[in-house]
Amino acid sequence: GYDIAADGSITLSSLGALLTRPFDSPEAVAAGIASPYSGFRGTVAQSLRPYPQYNTINNRSNPNGNSTYHALQLEAEKRFTRGLTLLANYTWAKTISDGDVQAGGGPGGQTFYNRALEKAISTNDVPHIVNVSYIYELPFGRGKRWLSSGVAARIAGGWSVTGIQQYSVGKPIALSANNTLPLFNALLRPDAVPGAQRKLSWDRFDPNVDRYINPAAFAVPAPLRFGTAARAYTDLRAPALYNESFGAIKRTPLKENLVLTFRAEFFNAFNRVVFSAPAANVSNANFGRVSGQANAPRQGQVALRLEF
């Protein structure tokens, strides 16, 4: 079990370090710990489990998780106005959950028996998403507004330009600490320092110098205590996503049933760098530091296809 102290911190039962001792040790016997069944050999913590005969129980269809999702979704579409097709959408959303801690085996967390401790902004929450895609047939060539005949129509005709632009806020960062509790719990979270700013401010973030998370805002919990930090915070997110990809296509009819198609495509055309989420384990010396890139650098490809 656990108790909630006057300052709001969560502490384990008064058994404390006795949880790690054999159930039949003199200290455990003095505390009134009894064998759960004949022939039991294990720790005090194991003897107090609902099913002390098992070290691990995996329930692959655990229904104990709950999620709430609310969203406003807007979309605009325009088709073939002077060769332009446009699709744009925006999502404003919020997801709260206590069940996305451990995929596959059901919800985990600091304690299985108090799901309220896990309820927080979902680690898959993305409150703002904007997507824009378009294709524009250039007004040149046969049947178009300009250069509709002759050699110029052949060279300038059949071209289309395309684009996909994506922008979204980063997902919340799931905080943790090295799990030292003898309770068979899935994980341990850090303590939250009241009043401390969780995300550091900087004009230009340099991962070689700057920390993304303020290390003074979190601390390793004292022995035999759950951490007081929430599973995730709305103001502590991975870096936002920005991506622009563009392409150009030219279709050239050679004969009645023969078309030559040329494509050139460029992904992350502006070569934006989206940093990965920082180290989120407060027990790690690199806590709060970013060590990787979440997106791919600029890439391009060209293709030539003969359709018949």
Side-chain angles (χ1 to χ4, degrees):
Y2 59 85
D3 305 309
I4 299 179
D7 63 356
S9 62
I10 301 172
T11 61
L12 300 185
S13 67
S14 58
L15 293 175
L18 185 62
L19 291 166
T20 63
R21 300 289 296 154
F23 86 99
D24 56 356
S25 64
E27 309 97 293
V29 172
I33 303 299
S35 174
Y37 59 84
S38 178
F40 174 78
R41 288 290 180 268
T43 64
V44 171
Q46 181 71 24
S47 72
L48 297 175
R49 302 191 79 185
Y51 302 96
Q53 65 270 39
Y54 299 111
N55 286 326
T56 302
I57 298 176
N58 292 322
N59 186 345
R60 295 302 178 186
S61 58
N62 193 334
N64 288 347
N66 298 279
S67 298
T68 302
Y69 174 78
H70 292 139
L72 168 68
Q73 298 177 338
L74 303 175
E75 182 174 287
E77 184 175 6
K78 187 69 173 178
R79 295 187 179 184
F80 297 111
T81 299
R82 294 186 179 273
L84 176 65
T85 300
L86 174 68
L87 176 64
N89 56 61
Y90 166 70
T91 300
W92 176 36
K94 185 174 184 179
T95 308
I96 298 174
S97 175
D98 65 0
D100 54 0
V101 182
Q102 177 180 319
Q110 292 200 114
T111 171
F112 180 86
Y113 300 101
N114 189 349
R115 302 305 308 160
L117 294 180
E118 306 308 318
K119 188 172 184 178
I121 197 74
S122 170
T123 51
N124 292 313
D125 176 71
V126 182
H128 301 285
I129 304 174
V130 176
N131 296 300
V132 180
S133 63
Y134 42 86
I135 181 168
Y136 179 52
E137 297 178 359
L138 298 184
F140 307 115
R142 182 172 298 177
K144 300 296 183 180
R145 188 175 180 182
W146 293 300
L147 303 177
S148 58
S149 61
V151 177
R154 279 259 181 198
I155 297 174
W159 282 99
S160 298
V161 293
T162 66
I164 299 176
Q165 298 177 220
Q166 302 163 295
Y167 310 99
S168 66
V169 175
K171 294 182 178 180
I173 299 169
L175 300 166
S176 65
N178 285 351
N179 186 13
T180 57
L181 299 179
L183 296 178
F184 309 97
N185 55 310
L187 56 87
L188 182 66
R189 289 196 292 272
D191 277 346
V193 177
Q197 181 177 334
R198 289 184 279 265
K199 184 178 177 180
L200 292 172
S201 298
W202 18 259
D203 293 331
R204 293 186 177 181
F205 179 71
D206 182 350
N208 295 315
V209 178
D210 304 319
R211 289 183 188 260
Y212 194 85
I213 303 175
N214 181 10
F218 301 98
V220 176
L224 298 172
R225 284 183 60 254
F226 290 130
T228 61
R231 184 161 51 85
Y233 294 92
T234 58
D235 61 347
L236 192 58
R237 297 176 175 273
L241 169 70
Y242 302 90
N243 183 71
E244 296 88 6
S245 298
F246 303 103
I249 306 170
K250 177 175 172 56
R251 291 174 55 84
T252 304
L254 301 178
K255 291 184 178 180
E256 183 177 356
N257 296 319
L258 196 63
V259 178
L260 184 66
T261 301
F262 169 79
R263 301 176 66 96
E265 296 165 323
F266 301 92
F267 309 101
N268 188 14
F270 298 150
N271 204 29
R272 294 185 184 269
V273 175
V274 177
F275 292 116
S276 60
N281 186 327
V282 72
S283 304
N284 189 332
N286 290 319
F287 175 67
R289 291 195 179 279
V290 171
S291 60
Q293 183 175 345
N295 67 334
R298 180 193 297 120
Q299 298 180 18
Q301 64 182 25
V302 294
L304 192 64
R305 183 175 68 185
L306 185 63
E307 302 175 14
F308 57 90

